[in-house]
Amino acid sequence: MITFKNVSKRYPDGYIALNNVDLAVEPGEMVFLTGHSGAGKSTLLKLIAAIERPTSGVIAISGQNIAQLKPAAIPYLRRKIGFIFQDHKLLFDRNVFENVLLPLQISNFDNNTAASRARAALDKVSLLKREKVMPITLSGGERQRLCIARAIVHRPTILIADEPTGNLDVDYARDIMAMFRSFNQVGVTVLIATHDASLLEDTQHRILSLKQGKLAA
Amino acid sequence: MIRAWLMQHGFVFFHTLKRLASSPVTALLSITVMGIALSLPTGIYVLMENLQSVSGQIASSPQISLFLKQDAKKEDVDKVQQRLKEVSQIVNYQFIPKDVALTQLQQNSGTTDIAANLAHNPLPDAFIVHTREHTSDSLEQLRLAIQSWPEIAHVQFDSAWIDRLNALLKLGRSVVLMLATLLSIAIIAIMFNTIRLQILTKRDEIEISKLIGATDSFIRRPFLYFGAIQGVSGGITAWLIIMLGIDELNRELTPLTQLYDFNIQLQYLSLQDSISLLLFSAWLGWLGARISVANHLWQIEPK
């Protein structure tokens, strides 16, 4: 599903975020990505969604080399992916429902289908009762769930989460991990970056560890 | 798919209208500015169209004066009359005998004294001829032809004023063109700036939309709609300004036409010109928005 071959990313200031990374994630797999902050976790995730482009190497998503993707093709790649951003990236001038609707409007869904899908996504993260409120009034955990709803509403094949439990207390974090597992169980490939060791204690899923831009064995 | 696409466009259209309505003062101000800017060249254009149709009416039968030789006899007059009937370009003619011409001269207030002191009638018999010819070239040819008749002393026609009027209209047309060009550029600049400010305030929305798979055309669409809608609103404003202006001028003209005993009413913008005005103004707004979007969107790349 996701393959990295000799992928390096060097920023214009000379900082090397990723150094010759090889990686393969199978379809339907759930994988954790750990490492200290600055180890290159976010960069790796951004490379998958073509938010950053690699300096060298090959990145294949479903067999498509995205390192050489034309700019006009990038939106269609991103529609296959649900991305949960570290800084949420919610629209604060739209209510909860409209935030979740956005990916569907972008993908040209008709209004009725879009509305029912958005409500279904909100239901999955238990935010249906709050669809009319503005995101500013939501708690941290609720905002995180709103991000998840927005990431899954267009039914992506790949779900990527960057520090999804960042500032949440343990109970909230457990809820959110349960959600990811349930998405994985219906066939979604899930990739979660986290530095939260407590999340990884009793997991049977594969754990990839990044250290200074290199993947540890 | 097409239905969804249409719904998308409909959604963006109404969303844009809502956005315009949400800041009515700003919207009205820029629409008024655009309307006034558009009404200037269009107004001059309308006045020129009117002038041209009036001049067309007058110039449709140019007048030529034929002066016979001083010693022309009754037979000569008949001969000329006969010849005039044969010339196809001539619409009609009027014979003015020298006695009548002198009487007219005597009645004319400014020349009474001169005419009274004349020992004998210095005026020749004359014909006033109306022709179908318009251009000064064909009139000149006709003049030369008539000039060659033996009974004719002098042929005179006043083509100078037609030439002058045409030159004036040509000048007016280039003024309209210049004004239209300059003000169109101004409108594009206004729209460029309006859209630039909008893009800046919608930075987050654009960035997030790009992150979750929006194509460039999806992101551009609301701004282009905004430009076109505001442009067409400016066009409608200009149209109203011109219609009201002509209405007012016609009201002022009515007593004048009664005094001078001729009937001139200014014509309004034709349907075709009205549609052209609206389409052009929509295009201007769209173009300003398009240039602005092309210049600013690429600067917003998600990081």
Side-chain angles (χ1 to χ4, degrees):
Chain A
M1 193 85 212
I2 304 170
T3 319
F4 277 50
K5 271 197 190 112
N6 299 325
V7 174
S8 294
K9 173 67 184 178
R10 177 211 287 266
Y11 284 101
D13 60 3
Y15 176 72
I16 297 169
L18 290 178
N19 192 359
N20 265 331
V21 171
D22 285 303
L23 165 78
V25 177
E26 298 303 317
E29 206 182 351
M30 178 152 162
V31 175
F32 286 96
L33 189 63
T34 70
H36 295 292
S37 49
K41 300 189 299 286
S42 293
T43 303
L44 195 150
L45 298 184
K46 283 177 179 171
L47 286 173
I48 296 171
I51 299 167
E52 300 274 9
R53 312 305 290 266
T55 316
S56 63
V58 175
I59 301 170
I61 308 286
S62 321
Q64 187 183 25
N65 181 8
I66 61 158
Q68 273 150 22
L69 210 57
K70 288 196 187 94
I74 290 175
Y76 302 97
L77 166 74
R78 289 182 184 156
R79 290 178 197 182
K80 289 191 224 163
I81 300 170
F83 209 118
I84 295 148
F85 302 97
Q86 198 169 3
D87 55 351
H88 297 160
K89 302 219 182 281
L90 294 171
L91 286 171
F92 287 96
D93 59 346
R94 300 187 184 195
N95 66 29
V96 165
F97 178 69
E98 288 165 338
N99 264 283
V100 178
L101 209 54
L102 188 63
L104 302 174
Q105 289 172 332
I106 283 171
S107 304
N108 280 332
F109 277 86
D110 73 77
N111 291 358
N112 294 333
T113 317
S116 63
R117 278 207 189 186
R119 296 220 162 81
L122 282 171
D123 195 29
K124 269 183 201 153
V125 299
S126 319
L127 273 180
L128 194 52
K129 284 189 184 125
R130 313 213 59 185
E131 63 167 303
K132 291 274 188 286
V133 306
M134 301 306 271
I136 198 82
T137 63
L138 296 178
S139 71
E142 285 172 324
R143 283 185 198 177
Q144 192 60 269
R145 272 145 57 198
L146 175 54
C147 285
I148 294 172
R150 191 185 63 186
I152 57 151
V153 70
H154 57 298
R155 298 178 187 167
T157 51
I158 300 170
L159 188 61
I160 293 173
D162 196 357
E163 300 287 359
T165 58
N167 298 311
L168 302 180
D169 56 41
V170 183
D171 288 343
Y172 258 137
R174 204 168 289 147
D175 282 356
I176 280 170
M177 291 314 294
M179 280 175 197
F180 286 134
R181 271 195 296 278
S182 72
F183 298 136
N184 180 236
Q185 270 156 16
V186 296
V188 180
T189 308
V190 182
L191 191 56
I192 301 166
T194 181
H195 66 272
D196 187 352
S198 66
L199 282 181
L200 308 170
E201 276 166 10
D202 55 348
T203 180
Q204 318 94 309
H205 298 293
R206 189 146 65 104
I207 300 169
L208 300 169
S209 169
L210 267 175
K211 246 176 213 159
Q212 292 174 327
K214 278 183 178 271
L215 216 50
Chain B
M1 197 62 196
I2 289 172
R3 210 172 76 101
W5 185 84
L6 280 176
M7 278 173 93
Q8 263 294 314
H9 276 262
F11 174 81
V12 174
F13 179 77
F14 286 111
H15 193 75
T16 309
L17 285 185
K18 253 197 268 174
R19 222 165 68 210
L20 273 169
S22 70
S23 52
V25 179
T26 320
L28 275 179
L29 273 177
S30 37
I31 288 169
T32 309
V33 169
M34 291 179 74
I36 291 170
L38 283 166
S39 70
L40 267 169
T42 318
I44 299 176
Y45 168 79
V46 170
L47 289 180
M48 285 194 20
E49 285 290 291
N50 274 297
L51 198 61
Q52 198 161 25
S53 80
V54 170
S55 82
Q57 277 165 25
I58 297 168
S60 65
S61 53
Q63 194 178 317
I64 301 178
S65 308
L66 318 185
F67 298 103
L68 275 61
K69 288 179 176 151
Q70 267 293 339
D71 54 0
K73 308 264 171 357
K74 177 84 176 59
E75 304 91 73
D76 297 326
V77 173
D78 290 342
K79 273 186 204 158
V80 171
Q81 213 156 348
Q82 196 56 46
R83 283 207 179 96
L84 283 174
K85 277 179 190 156
E86 287 160 12
V87 180
S88 61
Q89 295 103 310
I90 287 166
V91 184
N92 60 36
Y93 61 82
Q94 186 194 354
F95 175 60
I96 299 171
K98 49 181 146 190
D99 307 338
V100 175
L102 184 64
T103 320
Q104 274 176 4
L105 191 66
Q106 280 164 347
Q107 281 163 358
N108 201 327
S109 59
T111 51
T112 314
D113 289 346
I114 308 167
N117 290 328
L118 289 172
H120 61 95
N121 185 356
L123 300 171
D125 289 327
F127 282 92
I128 291 173
V129 173
H130 290 102
T131 87
R132 275 184 246 288
E133 302 296 335
H134 291 286
T135 62
S136 36
D137 277 354
S138 54
L139 282 170
E140 181 62 22
Q141 272 175 18
L142 187 63
R143 189 186 75 85
L144 288 173
I146 296 173
Q147 183 81 70
S148 66
W149 300 348
E151 302 83 5
I152 302 294
H154 184 60
V155 182
Q156 187 181 318
F157 73 94
D158 199 359
S159 76
W161 73 270
I162 297 178
D163 290 341
R164 266 184 230 129
L165 186 68
N166 280 335
L168 215 62
L169 284 173
K170 209 174 140 195
L171 186 76
R173 241 174 253 129
S174 44
V175 168
V176 167
L177 202 67
M178 265 192 276
L179 264 181
T181 311
L182 286 175
L183 290 167
S184 297
I185 292 170
I187 286 170
I188 291 173
I190 292 169
M191 196 43 76
F192 181 91
N193 211 34
T194 311
I195 296 296
R196 188 181 69 90
L197 291 173
Q198 282 194 10
I199 289 173
L200 288 180
T201 57
K202 287 184 166 282
R203 219 191 155 86
D204 287 346
E205 190 181 324
I206 292 167
E207 189 192 330
I208 291 168
S209 299
K210 278 191 177 181
L211 276 174
I212 57 184
T215 55
D216 282 351
S217 65
F218 178 89
I219 291 168
R220 271 198 298 262
R221 204 173 294 147
F223 297 108
L224 300 184
Y225 267 97
F226 188 93
I229 289 173
Q230 202 157 69
V232 92
S233 309
I236 292 170
T237 312
W239 189 84
L240 286 173
I241 290 173
I242 285 162
M243 289 315 198
L244 291 175
I246 292 175
D247 230 29
E248 189 55 37
L249 284 180
N250 271 342
R251 222 191 315 277
E252 301 282 325
L253 267 176
T254 311
L256 212 65
T257 55
Q258 278 161 359
L259 276 176
Y260 283 89
D261 193 30
F262 64 18
N263 195 7
I264 290 181
Q265 283 285 294
L266 291 174
Q267 299 300 305
Y268 294 89
L269 264 180
S270 67
L271 181 67
Q272 203 184 348
D273 286 341
S274 302
I275 292 171
S276 303
L277 172 66
L278 295 188
L279 286 179
F280 182 65
S281 57
W283 180 76
L284 279 182
W286 177 90
L287 185 66
R290 185 73 181 75
I291 297 172
S292 187
V293 165
N295 264 278
H296 298 108
L297 268 196
W298 66 270
Q299 294 171 359
I300 305 174
E301 268 305 319
K303 279 280 158 312

